[in-house]
Amino acid sequence: ANLDFGVEKEYWAIKDECYKAKADQYTYEICMYDKATQDSVSLGKWDGFHEDYSVIKFTNGDKCWNGPKRSLTLKVECGAEELLHSITEPSTCEYSAKFATPAACQEFSSGDI
């Protein structure tokens, strides 16, 4: 597969990394270029960067009872270290979260961090 590591290959360093966060009683985990989970439930497989690298999507996860297949949309933001946070479920089985990473900071001048 042809993986997109960013304009300057800034995501190469974290290509094999996974990040966890707790929200409510669940543990969420994202694995870059692979998958996202809520405990043992699939929230989807890597579906790439969108909107000029400001969004990462995981799609085609486990089907909800009486609903769609689960998915996770990550809003990427500049941060001093990798951090998965602010996990919500804005609509049934469609999850949203924020992912901070230094890799997202290349668009910002050093004075903005």
Side-chain angles (χ1 to χ4, degrees):
N2 184 10
L3 296 178
D4 180 355
F5 297 114
V7 178
E8 304 283 334
K9 304 272 186 278
E10 57 273 12
Y11 289 93
W12 171 261
I14 60 171
K15 67 181 171 52
D16 298 319
E17 299 296 322
C18 295
Y19 303 99
K20 287 185 179 178
K22 294 279 272 192
D24 299 321
Q25 70 269 40
Y26 300 109
T27 298
Y28 293 84
E29 184 175 38
I30 60 161
C31 293
M32 298 297 290
Y33 301 94
D34 186 12
K35 65 185 190 295
T37 55
Q38 176 198 56
D39 293 332
S40 62
V41 175
S42 171
L43 299 184
K45 295 280 184 209
W46 176 263
D47 191 25
F49 289 98
H50 299 265
E51 299 173 39
D52 290 329
Y53 299 98
S54 65
V55 171
I56 294 171
K57 290 186 178 178
F58 293 90
T59 58
N60 214 18
D62 288 343
K63 186 166 170 30
C64 268
W65 181 82
N66 214 3
K69 289 190 172 180
R70 289 175 174 82
S71 63
L72 172 64
T73 300
L74 291 180
K75 179 90 178 91
V76 180
E77 57 189 20
C78 172
E81 59 185 20
E82 279 74 28
L83 181 66
L84 177 64
H85 67 100
S86 304
I87 300 163
T88 60
E89 188 179 356
S91 60
T92 304
C93 297
E94 293 179 359
Y95 298 84
S96 176
K98 292 182 179 173
F99 179 60
T101 173
C105 299
Q106 89 285 355
E107 279 113 53
F108 306 101
S109 70
S110 56
D112 292 342
I113 300 171

